[in-house]
Amino acid sequence: MAWENHSALMEFVLLAYPACPELRVLSFLGVSLVYILIITGNVLIVVSIHTEARLHTPMYYFLGSLAGVEICYTAVVVPHILANILRSEKTISLLGCAAQMVFFIGLGSADCFLLATMAYDRYVAICCPLQYPVIMTLTLCVRLVVASVVTGLFLSLQLVAFIFSLPFCRARGIEHFFCDVPPVMRLVCAHSHIHEHSVLAAATLAIAVPFFLIATSYAFIVAAVLKIHSATGRRRAFSTCSSHLAVVLLQYGCCAFVYLRPNSSYYPKLDRFISLVYTLGTPLLNPLIYTLRNSEMKGAIGRVLTRNCLSQISQDRGGYNLSGVSLVPAV
């Protein structure tokens, strides 16, 4: 019935793209460069964790899962943004808009739940070190990752189904680069506190609940670290958590500003800027934060790059030698 109600509205127009040709070229080059860096950084993390035996621990398993989710998360919207920059008509179909929202919100929510599982992993490692190998088994890690992704997608599917069951006005213009909840909700004609509270409830489950779990975990972690008498031990314990805390503050700060507020306080230009931060900035900064502050990750990535370079050099030399042999005339 929801799709029948929107039969007259088959596509949306995305209005946030620059009209000036020079700005379009600069925007395309800038977004392309950032996207290449995002994919490269997160793929290096996944490959390094997969190939380095010393990184086969729960902490790095969660980090690799987070990097994999962020690769998919950016792939949902960034290629579409790049295509729209070059196209004269910035349109998206009704079904395409709904599908983009499902995966964008779902994978973003999975990001939040994964950050909560990483906080739980740090809590067990610091507060229950002797029981850590027994509690954080591979089976539990896999279940936590799968539960994070499935829960995020389930909540997103419920939210998007609710939004697209509402009647839309005749206006087709979305003041954004892609289909996100706040700008699409602006096109809904049936404005009421019930609809607004329903969206806020879904956002609370996906953002506020994981953040509460993270805050609770770190409250226990801080209490346990303060009991450590050695200053070196305290520094080491805090250093293992600092990268995770930096990512949490960046991710949850942006998401809370966009989603955990009334629809009436929506500011298109400011929200578009914030959306670029959590769509491009966070996936770009996560690999940098986790690698620059982690000597094991830096070493693993360095070894992966070195092996690839040496393999390429040996293949090139082999090709040259082969070609040289084939060109020598027989005596």
Side-chain angles (χ1 to χ4, degrees), residues 64-130:
S65 301
L66 182 69
V69 168
E70 290 194 336
I71 292 172
C72 301
Y73 170 75
T74 53
V76 172
V77 294
V78 178
H80 189 255
I81 290 175
L82 291 173
N84 279 333
I85 292 175
L86 298 178
R87 290 190 303 189
S88 57
E89 294 184 0
K90 285 77 160 106
T91 60
I92 184 170
S93 66
L94 184 72
L95 182 60
C97 183
Q100 188 179 71
M101 283 182 65
V102 167
F103 288 104
F104 180 74
I105 302 298
L107 293 173
S109 301
D111 246 6
C112 295
F113 287 117
L114 277 174
L115 290 173
T117 61
M118 294 172 75
Y120 174 71
D121 173 71
R122 293 298 83 205
Y123 159 74
V124 177
I126 294 174
C127 299
C128 311
L130 298 179

Side-chain angles (χ1 to χ4, degrees), residues 9-30:
L9 180 67
M10 296 305 296
E11 63 181 14
F12 295 108
V13 180
L14 301 167
L15 304 175
Y17 292 91
C20 177
E22 291 79 7
L23 287 178
R24 290 167 61 183
V25 172
L26 290 176
S27 300
F28 181 83
L29 294 176

Side-chain angles (χ1 to χ4, degrees), residues 57-59 121-122 124-125 128-137:
T57 62
M59 181 179 74
D121 173 71
R122 293 298 83 205
V124 177
C128 311
L130 298 179
Q131 298 177 345
Y132 182 79
V134 179
I135 297 175
M136 298 304 298
T137 61

Side-chain angles (χ1 to χ4, degrees), residues 235-302:
R235 282 197 302 271
R236 185 176 300 172
F238 278 124
S239 65
T240 61
C241 303
S242 58
S243 299
H244 182 255
L245 274 175
V247 173
V248 166
L249 293 175
L250 182 64
Q251 176 88 1
Y252 281 89
C254 294
C255 292
F257 178 82
V258 173
Y259 298 107
L260 296 182
R261 59 177 181 157
N263 192 40
S264 57
S265 61
Y266 175 69
Y267 302 102
K269 292 184 179 180
L270 181 59
D271 281 56
R272 288 201 297 265
F273 173 76
I274 298 296
S275 71
L276 289 179
V277 173
Y278 63 76
T279 304
L280 296 174
T282 305
L284 175 64
L285 290 177
N286 282 1
L288 295 176
I289 292 172
Y290 280 116
T291 54
L292 293 179
R293 297 184 61 84
N294 190 314
S295 58
E296 288 185 339
M297 277 304 308
K298 283 192 291 187
I301 291 175

